[in-house]
């Protein structure tokens, strides 16, 4: 095709924009955002190289360190949570490095896929969906698989509603392989359930803004231990956008970023962190414990089956429920959406249509959860479900 | 250090948050955002896997194609503009590929650095800051450097206020090396000045939300020609987050993304594109031409020197001005900021402190530019400048 033949693109005809609906949004991210945080985004733009932006970073960085429980700098990137997975891998490993990937669901699988895409030698320890990583099995397998440079662990598996005992798993890795890096995907856990990066001796921890942080998606936060920073110095995987060295340098010299940060989302983060500190870290954890207990209790009272096989590992940020026999998740979710403006999440991967998930993290009240569960109960009956 | 010895992180003491100031923000990004677009961000969160979000993507995608002037899908990522540079490189090249990097300033340099970080064999054709790429020199050098897999070109170099004649350069590459990929960094040009991806036969084009699109930073947009999609199939650089295949698949099957998109920024983009179409593409271009003419005229009338050595290539989105002898950019910028709430940009890299830049792209009026230039004139006099 010659240049002359190439067609100009006409103005497209599109459907008219409608107001964004107000819903009871109960997916495990994006989570509802408090009105004062939503409003904060509407402030005018400022220069990301100026003192006003640096002032924001001076406030949010130590507060993020407090929620991470780390003395290491918490670095922030314009990215989705998957960006955190890639950022973790490319900064500490080299091509061919042997890493062990502990997989209990879809996001653990994704972290392993990223490590493989970058040419790492990945050994997988997989558990069926609904189970947590069993420390006894992990210990046996890690002994067989040694030596390895790192172990990749999902803290809270969003696809299955299971929370791994990261503290125990990290202690196990440390005992067996003192120099191995413990990389923790804390996207849907951090700030909602306990995670103590330095006390638990975790090496890389990352999370995403759209989960427990009560702000919209678009900021990824990541921190590294001294051990991980040492590994970073010799890590040979190619990187530029995700490179920790330049991000840390800009943070430490000017409270800024090497690239243009998502300014309006930082306005939101600034306000959300204030609200979270006003509520208190332990109070937030307690609220999530209560939410998890409440949702699981209601689900079991309905005679429904949790995906979690062992309640000790059932997540306090997202509950996964098996679809009753003969009922399609899709029909239930559609009724909830269309009739009640309640939005739940379908299963992922091979469990799509076979389960549904209720998010209970970040900004919510028990009344939100009650409304959602009342509606689930009503619609399941309409669909022919009998407990 | 044992686990027991690791210290808990106390709640940090930080400075109190202040209201975001209203400024005459005249940096070349982030650019000012219209009030209706700012407000759009404050709508409640929705499910990125639901019909409401897909409806947004159905509107913004063809409108982005219109502004790109391409029939190819325009893919969107949660990222800064630098993410666009990395995304372009990793999707179409393989380790060791020879590429030619045409560099006229800081962002051209960054694109070459990214290509090198990923193990490409990069030949640089560099021009002094303030100059555009000279097609005659490019022709000679390209003939010497052949064969090469791609040519990396900055459309508008934000660090120097120079717009390359991408149409001519692309035609030159096509004539010399029909199969070479023309990769265009259009971060600070696209939607503000003419760029026609399909008619000009460009292979990869990317841009960032915080420039001419009148929304905050956080969304990167990228499109690829059929030639680039073919190259993508065999491109071996490691990638996951930036992978086009998965992003295109999600867009084409569900009008969604493989990862969680920055929902509130898409609300903003949806409204901004409506406003841009209401103004009209050609009218937007004309407004930027007028702005460029006005700013250059005022600067020259003050007896100041533009960084641009040839006015034909002076940018209509950002003007770079040499600091008058004996006057530090820093002092001028501080006066503008502190006394007039006007924010201009310093020079980058080796030109920091030796020049300043005025952004005139996206959402602005001539009154904004006049106010900024009046203040520049006044403060330069106070600082001892005599024309």
């Amino acid at each position: 095709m010659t240049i002359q033949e190439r067609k100009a693109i006409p103005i497209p005809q599109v459907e008219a924009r409608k107001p964004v609906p107000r819903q009871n949004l109960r997916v495990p991210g994006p989570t509802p955002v408090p009105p004062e945080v939503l409003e904060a985004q509407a402030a005018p733009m400022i220069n990301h190289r100026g003192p006003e932006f640096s002032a924001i970073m001076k406030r949010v960085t130590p507060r993020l360190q407090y929620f991470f429980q780390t003395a290491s700098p918490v670095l922030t990137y314009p990215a989705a949570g998957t960006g955190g997975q890639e950022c973790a891998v490319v900064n500490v490993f080299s091509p061919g490095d042997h890493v062990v990937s502990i997989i209990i669901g879809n996001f653990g699988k994704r972290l392993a896929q990223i490590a493989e895409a970058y040419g790492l030698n990945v050994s997988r320890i997989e558990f069926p969906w609904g189970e947590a990583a069993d420390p006894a099995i992990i210990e046996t397998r890690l002994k067989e698989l040694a030596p390895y440079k790192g172990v990749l662990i999902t803290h809270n598996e969003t696809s299955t509603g299971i929370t791994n005992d990261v503290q125990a798993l990290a202690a196990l890795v440390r005992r067996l392989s003192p120099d191995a890096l413990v990389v923790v995907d804390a996207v849907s856990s951090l700030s909602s359930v306990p995670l103590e990066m330095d006390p638990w001796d975790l090496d890389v921890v990352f999370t995403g803004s759209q989960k427990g942080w009560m702000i919209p998606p678009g900021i990824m936060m990541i921190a590294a231990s001294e051990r991980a920073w040492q590994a970073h110095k010799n890590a040979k995987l190619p990187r530029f956008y995700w490179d920790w060295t330049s991000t840390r340098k800009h943070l430490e010299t000017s409270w800024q970023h090497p690239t243009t940060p998502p300014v309006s989302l930082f306005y939101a983060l600034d306000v959300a962190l204030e609200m979270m500190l006003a509520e208190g870290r332990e109070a937030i954890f307690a609220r999530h414990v209560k939410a998890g207990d409440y949702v699981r209790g209601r689900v079991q009272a309905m005679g429904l089956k949790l995906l979690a096989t062992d309640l000790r590992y059932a997540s306090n940020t997202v509950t996964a429920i098996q679809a009753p026999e003969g009922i399609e998740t899709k029909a239930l979710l559609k009724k909830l959406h269309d009739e009640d403006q309640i939005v739940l999440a379908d299963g992922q991967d091979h469990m799509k249509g076979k389960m549904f998930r209720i998010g209970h993290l970040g900004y919510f009240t028990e009344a939100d959860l009650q409304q959602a569960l009342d509606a689930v109960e009503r619609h399941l009956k309409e669909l022919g479900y009998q407990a």
Side-chain angles (χ1 to χ4, degrees), chain A:
Chain A
M1 193 157 37
T2 68
I3 288 182
Q4 285 69 26
E5 287 167 325
R6 289 170 182 272
K7 280 186 295 189
I9 306 295
I11 297 175
Q13 296 305 311
V14 301
E15 266 192 39
R17 187 164 52 87
K18 289 175 193 158
V20 174
R22 294 197 175 267
Q23 301 172 322
N24 185 353
L25 182 65
R26 301 257 55 85
V27 301
T31 60
V33 175
E36 44 274 69
V37 177
L38 288 175
E39 279 305 319
Q41 294 176 90
M45 278 300 103
I46 54 174
N47 183 10
H48 65 302
R49 299 271 172 248
E52 294 86 4
F53 188 80
S54 294
I56 294 173
M57 294 308 293
K58 270 186 224 179
R59 273 190 300 274
V60 305
T61 304
R63 286 172 165 176
L64 289 173
Q65 290 175 294
Y66 170 69
F67 279 100
F68 275 67
Q69 281 293 298
T70 185
S72 297
V74 177
L75 308 180
T76 47
Y77 289 82
T82 302
Q85 297 186 313
E86 187 154 317
C87 185
V89 167
V90 301
N91 273 289
V92 294
F93 298 118
S94 298
D97 274 358
H98 181 214
V99 297
V100 177
S101 200
I102 300 176
I103 300 171
I104 65 165
N106 207 31
F107 290 94
K109 192 171 96 178
R110 186 179 292 181
L111 186 49
Q113 285 171 332
I114 290 172
E116 277 164 358
Y118 274 86
L120 301 193
N121 172 16
V122 180
S123 295
R124 297 168 178 229
I125 309 179
E126 289 195 61
F127 294 87
W129 283 36
E131 289 185 17
D134 179 332
I137 294 176
I138 298 292
E139 177 157 5
T140 307
R141 295 284 289 129
L142 284 181
K143 284 175 179 167
E144 291 165 2
L145 293 166
Y148 43 83
K149 286 278 176 68
V151 179
L152 315 180
I153 309 176
T154 313
H155 187 200
N156 185 75
E157 177 52 65
T158 313
S159 67
T160 63
I162 301 294
T163 307
N164 273 322
D165 185 346
V166 160
Q167 186 177 12
L169 294 172
L172 179 60
V173 174
R174 193 61 61 232
R175 177 160 59 78
L176 299 175
S177 300
D179 298 331
L181 298 177
V182 175
V183 175
V184 177
D185 177 339
V187 170
S188 62
S189 63
L190 194 52
S191 83
S192 302
V193 300
L195 181 148
E196 302 188 2
M197 182 169 169
D198 288 359
W200 295 0
D201 200 12
L202 312 178
D203 293 304
V204 185
V205 174
F206 54 89
T207 184
S209 57
Q210 77 277 17
K211 305 288 186 180
W213 305 92
M214 309 198 300
I215 75 165
I219 300 178
M220 183 276 286
M221 307 89 152
I222 191 166
S225 69
E226 195 46 46
R227 192 184 295 110
W229 278 102
Q230 285 302 324
H232 172 70
K233 283 187 191 167
N234 302 310
K236 295 279 184 291
L237 284 183
R239 59 181 170 271
F240 190 97
Y241 187 78
W242 308 117
D243 186 52
W244 287 347
T245 298
S246 67
T247 305
R248 180 175 185 163
K249 188 181 145 204
H250 279 80
L251 183 69
E252 292 186 343
T253 57
S254 60
W255 295 98
Q256 291 171 9
H257 294 81
T259 68
T260 312
V263 174
S264 57
L265 295 177
F266 274 97
Y267 295 158
L269 180 60
D270 199 5
V271 173
L273 285 169
E274 259 180 35
M275 292 177 68
M276 290 166 71
L277 285 166
E279 181 176 0
R281 195 165 158 268
E282 306 304 320
I284 293 171
F285 295 161
R287 180 162 58 81
H288 284 79
V289 170
K290 207 173 151 198
D293 284 341
Y294 174 75
V295 172
R296 288 187 293 273
R298 284 290 308 268
V299 163
Q300 290 175 308
M302 290 181 215
L304 295 171
K305 275 186 196 156
L306 295 167
L307 193 68
T309 54
D310 183 339
L311 282 188
R312 287 177 303 168
Y313 299 110
S315 168
N316 285 327
T317 65
V318 52
T319 297
I321 301 143
Q322 300 183 41
E325 203 156 313
I327 292 178
E328 279 268 345
T329 310
K330 207 175 167 183
L332 173 65
L333 298 189
K334 187 167 163 42
K335 270 180 170 286
L336 289 164
H337 176 274
D338 294 353
E339 299 176 27
D340 305 281
Q341 294 76 53
I342 293 168
V343 184
L344 305 188
D346 201 341
Q348 294 188 327
D349 215 2
H350 68 283
M351 291 301 284
K352 198 172 164 76
K354 296 177 189 161
M355 55 176 266
F356 59 99
R357 293 172 298 151
I358 303 179
H360 34 86
L361 73 167
Y363 181 68
F364 64 85
T365 63
E366 197 164 296
D368 297 329
L369 305 181
Q370 190 182 329
Q371 192 220 352
L373 289 157
D374 288 351
V376 166
E377 193 160 14
R378 194 170 62 247
H379 291 307
L380 280 177
K381 271 184 196 157
E382 292 162 8
L383 291 167
Y385 170 67
Q386 289 177 320

